[in-house]
Amino acid sequence: MKRRVLGLAAVVITVVGAAGCGSSDPAGGGSSASGGGTTKVKVGIIPIIDVAPLYLGQKKGFFSSRGIDLEMVPAQGGAAIIPGVVSDQFQFGFSNTTSLMIAQVKGVPIKSVVNGAASNGKVGADVTGVAVKKDSPVKSAKDLAGRTVAVNTLQNIGSTTVRESVRLAGGDPSKVKFVEMPFDQMPAALDGGRVDAAWMGDPAMTIAKAQGARVVASPFAETDPKLTVATYFTSTQLAKQKPDLVKKFAAAMSESLQYATDHPDEARQILTTYTKIGGDVLNKLTLPAWPAEIDMASLQKLASLGETDGLFDGKKPDLNALFS
């Protein structure tokens, strides 16, 4: 969960620079290995619980059976992965859906190709939540108004859905003060009183609970119990020039999502291969939902909230072009 997502305003600048330093064949991604007809594919990912199906699918051979030789490349967050995909550093990437919407309205040429992770729909036990200290006067999301809440990045899916939780609880979302902080620093900051509350997922949430923290809001589930939180995406150029590769990746990923859903214990265990999560924390982790299908209704709601928050500079993301 170690990530600090950069502001999307900086992403467009980065994309321009990265594209200029990229391959002379931007859609040539996925070089073929000699002799076997296997295509090498790099995927920019965040090393968090959400991407467990990708690693599980690699282990189970869902990608290799389709001629794809995967290489996962860890990055700080979706906003750092997006320019890497556009410049062909990665052929595919993993990002939260709000980052993808912001990038699209800024003219970044990307397209989602398959689902990544979703809310499990459980208020009080979702994949992310807002936690406060045990003795905090905050009893519900309504009480977050006038308080300081840590999020991993400002003006994104975290702050947008936290505001919605406050709004639904009868509070004033405009009075919440957000501060940016890496997830792994949140439990200590909360326990030390440097913030009033923290929006986080596992393993940070499990660590915070062990320190006595309690959950007062479940922003994803409260925004929409079927909220599509993140997807895998590619550049629009690769989607046009390598449609067969995109279809094979999407099919393998869909099979991986279904397998992870049907085998949660294996999904937990695969985390030990790409994170430092283990022991008691591993067994207590809250898993997201991994549906194969993107929930467009939930994304329409998320986009509407993003417009309310002013994330899109007065524009509207084209959800059908981005996610269909």
Side-chain angles (χ1 to χ4, degrees):
M1 299 284 285
K2 295 182 179 179
R3 60 178 174 144
R4 187 184 183 104
V5 184
L6 302 178
L8 257 293
V11 168
V12 177
I13 298 174
T14 307
V15 167
V16 174
C21 298
S23 161
S24 59
D25 179 14
S31 59
S32 296
S34 59
T38 299
T39 301
K40 293 182 178 180
V41 170
K42 291 184 178 181
V43 185
I45 58 94
I46 310 162
I48 55 176
I49 192 170
D50 303 53
V51 299
L54 180 68
Y55 283 85
L56 196 53
Q58 181 189 45
K59 180 181 179 181
K60 291 296 178 180
F62 301 153
F63 292 90
S64 60
S65 66
R66 293 174 170 85
I68 296 176
D69 179 14
L70 281 184
E71 178 184 350
M72 274 70 95
V73 184
Q76 287 182 316
I81 294 169
I82 290 170
V85 169
V86 173
S87 66
D88 200 40
Q89 178 184 356
F90 315 126
Q91 284 69 62
F92 299 93
F94 176 89
S95 175
N96 76 78
T97 48
T98 296
S99 283
L100 295 178
M101 293 180 199
I102 295 173
Q104 188 205 48
V105 298
K106 292 183 180 294
V108 182
I110 53 173
K111 181 175 178 59
S112 175
V113 297
V114 66
N115 200 18
S119 166
N120 65 26
K122 300 175 182 177
V123 174
D126 199 6
V127 66
T128 69
V130 178
V132 298
K133 291 183 69 173
K134 183 178 181 180
D135 59 355
S136 170
V138 176
K139 304 302 181 184
S140 72
K142 178 180 179 179
D143 300 326
L144 294 173
R147 313 278 181 176
T148 301
V149 180
V151 292
N152 70 312
T153 183
L154 301 175
Q155 297 299 301
N156 213 309
I157 193 169
S159 56
T160 294
T161 55
V162 169
R163 286 191 184 97
E164 178 66 357
S165 288
V166 174
R167 186 180 293 111
L168 292 172
D172 185 349
S174 68
K175 293 184 178 180
V176 180
K177 180 182 179 182
F178 292 100
V179 294
E180 189 172 276
M181 181 181 298
F183 284 123
D184 61 330
Q185 294 180 18
M186 291 183 187
L190 183 62
D191 193 52
R194 296 194 297 277
V195 294
D196 298 312
W199 171 77
M200 53 189 155
D202 277 322
M205 181 62 83
T206 295
I207 294 170
K209 286 180 178 179
Q211 297 171 344
R214 54 187 172 82
V215 175
V216 296
S218 299
F220 286 168
E222 289 163 2
T223 296
D224 192 303
K226 295 182 179 180
L227 182 65
T228 295
V229 175
T231 67
Y232 292 88
F233 67 101
T234 190
S235 67
T236 54
Q237 188 168 9
L238 189 141
K240 292 178 181 178
Q241 297 190 8
K242 301 279 186 176
D244 289 342
L245 176 62
V246 172
K247 289 179 181 178
K248 288 178 181 178
F249 178 86
M253 194 65 239
S254 292
E255 187 174 4
S256 301
L257 292 166
Q258 186 61 57
Y259 190 89
T261 299
D262 295 339
H263 302 84
D265 290 341
E266 289 186 51
R268 289 178 187 276
Q269 194 59 40
I270 202 71
L271 288 167
T272 63
T273 66
Y274 68 93
T275 75
K276 296 180 180 179
I277 300 172
D280 291 339
V281 173
L282 184 68
N283 296 325
K284 294 177 181 178
L285 291 176
T286 299
L287 299 179
W290 286 306
E293 298 297 325
I294 291 171
D295 189 280
M296 290 299 291
S298 73
L299 291 182
Q300 289 168 357
K301 186 168 187 178
L302 192 62
S304 178
L305 294 175
E307 290 179 51
T308 300
D309 284 348
L311 298 184
F312 308 133
D313 296 327
K315 301 178 182 178
K316 290 187 177 182
D318 185 340
L319 300 184
N320 288 328
L322 182 57
F323 293 107
S324 295

